[in-house]
Amino acid sequence: GLADTLSKADGKIDTSIFAAAFRNGVDYAYKAVMKPKEGTILTVATKMAEAAELMAEKSDDLYAQLEYVILEGEKALKETPEQLPVLKEAGVVDAGGEGFLAIVMGLKAVLDGVEVDPENILDSKGVVVDFTNLDTEKEDIEFGYCTEFFIKNLYPEVKERDIDTYRNNLSKIGDCVLVVGDLSLVKTH
C-alpha cells in the first residue's frame, strides 16, 4: 500500500503524499489480516500513519514529518506490552512493530545522508526471551499445513469487492487465511 501510493507520485513526495502512503499501507495491512490484534505492528503502523496525517495538515516539511512519525512510532511501540498480554508477560515489545520502525528509521537516516549500520539501527539490549513457559491462549488449529499461491491476470470485470468476497469465503474453510493484493495480483496463503 505504501509503495503503491509512492509509485504514483511521479518522483515528488510531499507531506500529503507521504501521509496518504502511510494510510494506504495501514489499510492494506488490515485487509490482509483476518483477526487484527492491538499491540502488534498494525497498532504501531496506525499510530505512525496518524502522526503523518497530522503533520501533513500542519507543515510541508517532510523531514519534520518523518521525525514526528518516528517519535510517535516509538511511543506506540513502548505501549504494545500493555495491549497484548503475551508481550507484557515476556517483558518485550512487538517485534513486527519494532521491525517496521527500524525500516522507517533507516529511511530517515538515508534521507539525512547518514550511512545506515544494520547492526545498530535499533537500541538492542541483546535480550533473548524464552517463550516456552508462557501461558498463552491455545488456538485450535485444524489444518497443520499451508497452501500459498498467486492469482494474476484477473479479468477486467473483477472489483475490490470480489477480492473481499473471496477472502471472506476462504476464511470459512481455513485457520489462518491471508489474502492480500489488488486488481492486478492477489496473493493467497
Side-chain angles (χ1 to χ4, degrees), residues 2-162:
L2 185 82
D4 186 44
T5 302
L6 294 178
S7 70
K8 295 175 184 167
D10 295 328
K12 296 180 182 179
I13 300 171
D14 61 17
T15 56
S16 295
I17 291 171
F18 190 69
F22 248 93
R23 175 57 58 197
N24 201 31
V26 168
D27 291 346
Y28 266 66
Y30 270 92
K31 282 182 184 178
V33 179
M34 292 304 296
K35 297 177 186 173
K37 290 185 180 182
E38 291 303 311
T40 65
I41 184 175
L42 297 172
T43 305
V44 175
T46 297
K47 295 295 183 183
M48 293 170 80
E50 290 169 358
E53 291 166 336
L54 182 64
M55 282 300 290
E57 294 173 7
K58 295 181 176 183
S59 172
D60 61 354
D61 185 340
L62 186 61
Y63 295 100
Q65 181 187 39
L66 197 49
E67 286 177 357
Y68 186 63
V69 165
I70 290 169
L71 178 69
E72 291 301 304
E74 289 171 336
K75 287 180 188 175
L77 182 64
K78 286 179 185 174
E79 294 171 1
T80 60
E82 300 304 318
Q83 298 164 327
L84 205 56
V86 68
L87 297 176
K88 187 171 187 171
E89 189 175 341
V92 297
V93 296
D94 180 67
E98 189 167 18
F100 183 64
L101 184 59
I103 291 169
V104 177
M105 291 169 71
L107 170 64
K108 182 177 182 312
V110 170
L111 292 175
D112 288 343
V114 175
E115 187 173 329
V116 177
D117 178 3
E119 298 295 322
N120 296 315
I121 195 160
L122 295 175
D123 181 21
S124 176
K125 298 172 182 68
V127 176
V128 177
V129 180
D130 178 9
F131 286 97
T132 57
N133 294 323
L134 289 179
D135 181 25
T136 60
E137 298 176 36
K138 295 188 188 238
E139 294 186 38
D140 184 22
I141 297 176
E142 185 178 347
F143 307 106
Y145 58 90
C146 293
T147 302
E148 297 184 41
F149 56 90
F150 293 98
I151 303 172
K152 57 185 188 174
N153 301 324
L154 280 74
Y155 293 118
E157 62 270 13
V158 172
K159 304 289 183 225
E160 287 284 339
R161 69 177 176 273
D162 298 317

Side-chain angles (χ1 to χ4, degrees), residues 31 159-170 179:
K31 282 182 184 178
K159 304 289 183 225
E160 287 284 339
R161 69 177 176 273
D162 298 317
I163 297 170
D164 292 338
T165 300
Y166 168 68
R167 180 183 300 111
N168 290 335
N169 287 340
L170 284 181
V179 174

